[in-house]
Structures are given as C-alpha cells and as structure tokens.
Amino acid sequence: GENVEQHPSTLSVQEGDSAVIKCTYSDSASNYFPWYKQELGKRPQLIIDIRSNVGEKKDQRIAVTLNKTAKHFSLHITETQPEDSAVYFCAASIGNQAGTALIFGKGTTLSVSS
Amino acid sequence: GAGVSQSPSNKVTEKGKDVELRCDPISGHTALYWYRQRLGQGLEFLIYFQGNSAPDKSGLPSDRFSAERTGESVSTLTIQRTQQEDSAVYLCASSSGRIIHFGNGTRLTVT
C-alpha cells in the first residue's frame, strides 16, 4: 500500500527565514497531494494541495512542488511568521482519484521564533 | 451543518469496556474517513466510506475496531474491549471531492 515519508520531524527557523518540508510517496498511482496545518489542540486544516498534472503551485507565502518521477513533493514557506508555528502534514491519495482516502506523513513540527 | 461534528469530544473509559464514537459529516459529503492520532504523532488512517461502495477497512488495527455508516450520513466507530494503547484522538473527516474537512476529534482515554 501507499507509504508516505516526511522530513524533517522538527524544524526551527527564525522569523523571516524560509522553511522547507519534504515528503516522498511510494504509490505511483497517487495523483493528489495536499498539505495540512494543525495548530495545537485544533483540527488539521488544508493549506495547499497539488495534483499530479502540475509541477508547482503557489499561494502567497506558501508553495508546493511535485516531482512525479522521483515521487517526492515539498512544501515551501517563505518569510515565516510566528503564526506559522504548527504541525504540518503531507498526504498522498490512495489510488488515482482525488477524494479517495489519504495517507499522511508523520508530520513536521515547525517552530518560528521572533 | 457548518462542519464535521464529532461526539463526544472527550471520553474516559476503563480498560476492557466498549466505546462508540460518533461522526456527523458535512451534509452532502459522500466520503467519510476515520483517522487516529496518538499524542504527538501523525494521522493514522483507519477506514474510509465512499457512497454505497464497500468501505476500505485496510487501516483498522485489529478486529476490536469496527465502523458503520448509515447511507451518506452518520458514522460510528466502535472499539471493543478497549486497551490503554487505544488512547488517542479519533478524527473523523468528510469530503465531496478533493478537499477533506476534519472534525475536532474525540479524545479517548483508556484507564
């Protein structure tokens, strides 16, 4: 079945720096890759997603890149702010239809210090 | 409703007892998911319902775990003979397409 690896498990940056989180997946049929942000004690919230027919997607300070050949995708946060501090999860779809079950990485705890 | 609703929000039970967790998905969402999140850990897939198709139960950790869904509405996750390692937050999510929306979860503590 699908296996998603996420690195690093923790990441500490200074306010204004960039943060990069990387994930790899195993199922070549996966074609949907969302990223979720989970603040302490709250539910995971979708922040950005990408489908396999696109190599990069940007939304203000966050961007996601996808390399289907290598089966890895990354989250990039620029100009980090303290409110970016949270746990970030990558995920990959099982099968080849968006909206099917997601397998999540183990998460990255991002700490942004001011 | 405004979002995915889960009840109870907290549940404390004694080892060996059965528990039922409830999830009300967003109206109209055909897909429903259960995930488990142990303290400080990632989201562990348990089970997935899509419309009237047979559910994907591949993530259920043992036969003590089961889930049902009535049509495209409420789902219940049942854990029989609870063990201390079952202590976790159980998150339900639903979707009508690409975006999965999570509930606030049920925090289960097995003493």
Side-chain angles (χ1 to χ4, degrees), chain A residues 67-101:
Chain A
N67 183 327
K68 278 204 72 180
T69 303
K71 290 191 277 192
H72 64 70
F73 54 114
S74 301
L75 177 72
H76 304 251
I77 307 174
T78 58
E79 300 171 33
T80 53
Q81 300 167 5
E83 52 265 38
D84 294 331
S85 297
V87 180
Y88 291 81
F89 294 97
C90 64
S93 60
I94 297 174
N96 58 8
Q97 292 291 327
T100 53

Short mmCIF file of all heavy atoms in Angstrom, two decimals, chain A residues 67-101:
data_model
loop_
_atom_site.label_atom_id
_atom_site.label_comp_id
_atom_site.label_asym_id
_atom_site.label_seq_id
_atom_site.Cartn_x
_atom_site.Cartn_y
_atom_site.Cartn_z
N ASN A 67 7.53 16.29 -7.87
CA ASN A 67 8.36 15.59 -8.85
C ASN A 67 7.81 14.17 -8.94
O ASN A 67 8.09 13.32 -8.10
CB ASN A 67 9.83 15.59 -8.40
CG ASN A 67 10.73 14.93 -9.41
OD1 ASN A 67 10.35 13.99 -10.12
ND2 ASN A 67 11.96 15.39 -9.50
N LYS A 68 6.99 13.92 -9.96
CA LYS A 68 6.34 12.61 -10.07
C LYS A 68 7.34 11.50 -10.37
O LYS A 68 7.17 10.37 -9.92
CB LYS A 68 5.28 12.66 -11.16
CG LYS A 68 3.96 13.23 -10.72
CD LYS A 68 2.84 12.73 -11.60
CE LYS A 68 2.53 11.27 -11.32
NZ LYS A 68 1.43 10.77 -12.16
N THR A 69 8.36 11.82 -11.11
CA THR A 69 9.35 10.80 -11.47
C THR A 69 10.04 10.28 -10.23
O THR A 69 10.21 9.07 -10.05
CB THR A 69 10.37 11.37 -12.45
OG1 THR A 69 9.69 11.87 -13.61
CG2 THR A 69 11.38 10.31 -12.86
N ALA A 70 10.43 11.21 -9.38
CA ALA A 70 11.13 10.85 -8.15
C ALA A 70 10.17 10.51 -7.02
O ALA A 70 10.60 10.06 -5.96
CB ALA A 70 12.06 11.99 -7.72
N LYS A 71 8.90 10.77 -7.21
CA LYS A 71 7.86 10.54 -6.21
C LYS A 71 8.16 11.30 -4.92
O LYS A 71 8.17 10.72 -3.82
CB LYS A 71 7.65 9.05 -5.96
CG LYS A 71 6.99 8.36 -7.14
CD LYS A 71 6.52 6.95 -6.84
CE LYS A 71 7.66 6.00 -6.97
NZ LYS A 71 7.27 4.59 -6.97
N HIS A 72 8.42 12.59 -5.09
CA HIS A 72 8.53 13.40 -3.90
C HIS A 72 7.92 14.77 -4.14
O HIS A 72 7.80 15.24 -5.29
CB HIS A 72 9.95 13.48 -3.35
CG HIS A 72 10.96 14.15 -4.23
ND1 HIS A 72 10.97 15.49 -4.49
CD2 HIS A 72 12.03 13.64 -4.86
CE1 HIS A 72 11.98 15.78 -5.27
NE2 HIS A 72 12.64 14.69 -5.51
N PHE A 73 7.46 15.38 -3.05
CA PHE A 73 6.85 16.69 -3.11
C PHE A 73 7.24 17.47 -1.86
O PHE A 73 7.59 16.87 -0.84
CB PHE A 73 5.32 16.61 -3.27
CG PHE A 73 4.59 15.79 -2.25
CD1 PHE A 73 3.71 16.40 -1.37
CD2 PHE A 73 4.72 14.41 -2.19
CE1 PHE A 73 3.00 15.66 -0.43
CE2 PHE A 73 4.02 13.67 -1.25
CZ PHE A 73 3.15 14.29 -0.36
N SER A 74 7.25 18.77 -1.99
CA SER A 74 7.78 19.61 -0.92
C SER A 74 6.87 20.82 -0.68
O SER A 74 6.23 21.31 -1.60
CB SER A 74 9.18 20.13 -1.28
OG SER A 74 10.08 19.07 -1.51
N LEU A 75 6.89 21.26 0.57
CA LEU A 75 6.19 22.48 0.96
C LEU A 75 7.23 23.55 1.26
O LEU A 75 8.20 23.28 1.99
CB LEU A 75 5.33 22.23 2.20
CG LEU A 75 4.59 23.44 2.78
CD1 LEU A 75 3.44 23.83 1.86
CD2 LEU A 75 4.07 23.14 4.19
N HIS A 76 7.04 24.72 0.70
CA HIS A 76 7.95 25.83 0.92
C HIS A 76 7.17 26.98 1.55
O HIS A 76 6.15 27.41 0.99
CB HIS A 76 8.56 26.30 -0.40
CG HIS A 76 9.26 25.22 -1.16
ND1 HIS A 76 10.64 25.16 -1.30
CD2 HIS A 76 8.79 24.14 -1.82
CE1 HIS A 76 10.97 24.11 -2.02
NE2 HIS A 76 9.86 23.46 -2.35
N ILE A 77 7.65 27.46 2.68
CA ILE A 77 7.04 28.64 3.31
C ILE A 77 8.11 29.73 3.34
O ILE A 77 9.19 29.52 3.90
CB ILE A 77 6.55 28.34 4.73
CG1 ILE A 77 5.62 27.13 4.76
CG2 ILE A 77 5.83 29.57 5.32
CD1 ILE A 77 5.21 26.68 6.16
N THR A 78 7.81 30.84 2.72
CA THR A 78 8.76 31.96 2.72
C THR A 78 8.33 33.01 3.74
O THR A 78 7.17 33.05 4.16
CB THR A 78 8.85 32.61 1.33
OG1 THR A 78 7.54 33.06 0.96
CG2 THR A 78 9.36 31.61 0.30
N GLU A 79 9.29 33.82 4.15
CA GLU A 79 9.03 34.92 5.10
C GLU A 79 8.21 34.42 6.28
O GLU A 79 7.15 34.97 6.60
CB GLU A 79 8.31 36.07 4.38
CG GLU A 79 9.10 36.66 3.22
CD GLU A 79 8.27 37.64 2.41
OE1 GLU A 79 7.42 38.33 2.99
OE2 GLU A 79 8.47 37.72 1.18
N THR A 80 8.71 33.39 6.93
CA THR A 80 7.95 32.77 8.01
C THR A 80 7.63 33.76 9.12
O THR A 80 8.38 34.70 9.40
CB THR A 80 8.71 31.59 8.60
OG1 THR A 80 10.03 32.01 8.98
CG2 THR A 80 8.79 30.44 7.62
N GLN A 81 6.46 33.50 9.74
CA GLN A 81 5.98 34.33 10.84
C GLN A 81 5.66 33.43 12.03
O GLN A 81 5.41 32.23 11.84
CB GLN A 81 4.72 35.08 10.38
CG GLN A 81 4.97 35.98 9.19
CD GLN A 81 3.70 36.49 8.54
OE1 GLN A 81 2.60 36.26 9.02
NE2 GLN A 81 3.85 37.20 7.43
N PRO A 82 5.66 33.97 13.24
CA PRO A 82 5.38 33.13 14.42
C PRO A 82 4.07 32.35 14.29
O PRO A 82 3.99 31.22 14.77
CB PRO A 82 5.33 34.16 15.56
CG PRO A 82 6.26 35.24 15.12
CD PRO A 82 6.05 35.35 13.63
N GLU A 83 3.08 32.93 13.63
CA GLU A 83 1.81 32.22 13.50
C GLU A 83 1.87 31.03 12.53
O GLU A 83 0.92 30.26 12.41
CB GLU A 83 0.70 33.17 13.07
CG GLU A 83 1.00 34.01 11.85
CD GLU A 83 1.54 35.38 12.21
OE1 GLU A 83 2.33 35.51 13.18
OE2 GLU A 83 1.17 36.35 11.50
N ASP A 84 3.01 30.88 11.86
CA ASP A 84 3.21 29.68 11.03
C ASP A 84 3.58 28.47 11.88
O ASP A 84 3.59 27.34 11.39
CB ASP A 84 4.31 29.91 9.99
CG ASP A 84 3.95 30.96 8.96
OD1 ASP A 84 2.73 31.13 8.66
OD2 ASP A 84 4.87 31.64 8.45
N SER A 85 3.90 28.72 13.15
CA SER A 85 4.27 27.62 14.04
C SER A 85 3.09 26.66 14.20
O SER A 85 2.00 27.06 14.60
CB SER A 85 4.69 28.16 15.41
OG SER A 85 5.84 28.97 15.31
N ALA A 86 3.34 25.40 13.87
CA ALA A 86 2.28 24.39 13.89
C ALA A 86 2.91 23.07 13.45
O ALA A 86 4.10 22.99 13.15
CB ALA A 86 1.15 24.76 12.93
N VAL A 87 2.07 22.03 13.41
CA VAL A 87 2.49 20.76 12.82
C VAL A 87 1.94 20.70 11.41
O VAL A 87 0.76 20.98 11.18
CB VAL A 87 2.00 19.55 13.64
CG1 VAL A 87 2.47 18.25 12.99
CG2 VAL A 87 2.51 19.65 15.07
N TYR A 88 2.79 20.37 10.47
CA TYR A 88 2.39 20.29 9.06
C TYR A 88 2.44 18.82 8.62
O TYR A 88 3.40 18.11 8.89
CB TYR A 88 3.33 21.13 8.20
CG TYR A 88 3.16 22.61 8.43
CD1 TYR A 88 3.78 23.23 9.53
CD2 TYR A 88 2.37 23.39 7.60
CE1 TYR A 88 3.60 24.58 9.78
CE2 TYR A 88 2.20 24.75 7.84
CZ TYR A 88 2.81 25.33 8.92
OH TYR A 88 2.64 26.67 9.17
N PHE A 89 1.38 18.40 7.96
CA PHE A 89 1.28 17.03 7.46
C PHE A 89 1.16 17.05 5.94
O PHE A 89 0.33 17.78 5.39
CB PHE A 89 0.05 16.33 8.01
CG PHE A 89 0.08 16.09 9.49
CD1 PHE A 89 -0.56 16.95 10.36
CD2 PHE A 89 0.74 14.99 10.01
CE1 PHE A 89 -0.54 16.74 11.72
CE2 PHE A 89 0.77 14.76 11.38
CZ PHE A 89 0.13 15.64 12.23
N CYS A 90 1.97 16.23 5.29
CA CYS A 90 1.75 15.99 3.87
C CYS A 90 0.90 14.73 3.74
O CYS A 90 0.79 13.94 4.68
CB CYS A 90 3.07 15.81 3.13
SG CYS A 90 4.03 14.36 3.65
N ALA A 91 0.29 14.55 2.59
CA ALA A 91 -0.53 13.37 2.36
C ALA A 91 -0.53 13.03 0.88
O ALA A 91 -0.28 13.89 0.03
CB ALA A 91 -1.96 13.60 2.85
N ALA A 92 -0.80 11.79 0.59
CA ALA A 92 -0.92 11.32 -0.79
C ALA A 92 -2.18 10.48 -0.90
O ALA A 92 -2.53 9.74 0.04
CB ALA A 92 0.31 10.51 -1.19
N SER A 93 -2.84 10.60 -2.02
CA SER A 93 -4.08 9.85 -2.20
C SER A 93 -3.79 8.39 -2.48
O SER A 93 -2.79 8.04 -3.10
CB SER A 93 -4.90 10.44 -3.36
OG SER A 93 -4.16 10.38 -4.57
N ILE A 94 -4.67 7.55 -2.01
CA ILE A 94 -4.61 6.13 -2.36
C ILE A 94 -5.34 5.96 -3.68
O ILE A 94 -6.44 6.45 -3.85
CB ILE A 94 -5.32 5.27 -1.29
CG1 ILE A 94 -4.61 5.40 0.05
CG2 ILE A 94 -5.37 3.82 -1.72
CD1 ILE A 94 -5.33 4.68 1.17
N GLY A 95 -4.70 5.29 -4.63
CA GLY A 95 -5.35 5.12 -5.91
C GLY A 95 -5.14 6.33 -6.78
O GLY A 95 -4.18 7.08 -6.62
N ASN A 96 -6.03 6.57 -7.71
CA ASN A 96 -5.82 7.63 -8.68
C ASN A 96 -6.99 8.58 -8.80
O ASN A 96 -7.18 9.21 -9.81
CB ASN A 96 -5.51 7.02 -10.04
CG ASN A 96 -6.63 6.12 -10.51
OD1 ASN A 96 -7.69 6.07 -9.89
ND2 ASN A 96 -6.43 5.40 -11.58
N GLN A 97 -7.75 8.73 -7.76
CA GLN A 97 -8.87 9.66 -7.78
C GLN A 97 -8.77 10.59 -6.59
O GLN A 97 -8.72 10.15 -5.46
CB GLN A 97 -10.20 8.92 -7.70
CG GLN A 97 -10.53 8.10 -8.94
CD GLN A 97 -10.83 8.96 -10.15
OE1 GLN A 97 -11.37 10.05 -10.01
NE2 GLN A 97 -10.45 8.51 -11.31
N ALA A 98 -8.75 11.90 -6.85
CA ALA A 98 -8.81 12.84 -5.74
C ALA A 98 -10.13 12.62 -5.01
O ALA A 98 -11.16 12.37 -5.62
CB ALA A 98 -8.74 14.27 -6.27
N GLY A 99 -10.08 12.71 -3.71
CA GLY A 99 -11.28 12.48 -2.92
C GLY A 99 -11.29 11.09 -2.33
O GLY A 99 -12.13 10.76 -1.54
N THR A 100 -10.35 10.23 -2.72
CA THR A 100 -10.23 8.94 -2.07
C THR A 100 -9.40 9.13 -0.80
O THR A 100 -8.96 10.24 -0.50
CB THR A 100 -9.53 7.91 -2.97
OG1 THR A 100 -8.30 8.45 -3.43
CG2 THR A 100 -10.40 7.56 -4.16
N ALA A 101 -9.20 8.06 -0.07
CA ALA A 101 -8.54 8.18 1.22
C ALA A 101 -7.13 8.72 1.05
O ALA A 101 -6.48 8.52 0.03
CB ALA A 101 -8.52 6.82 1.92
#
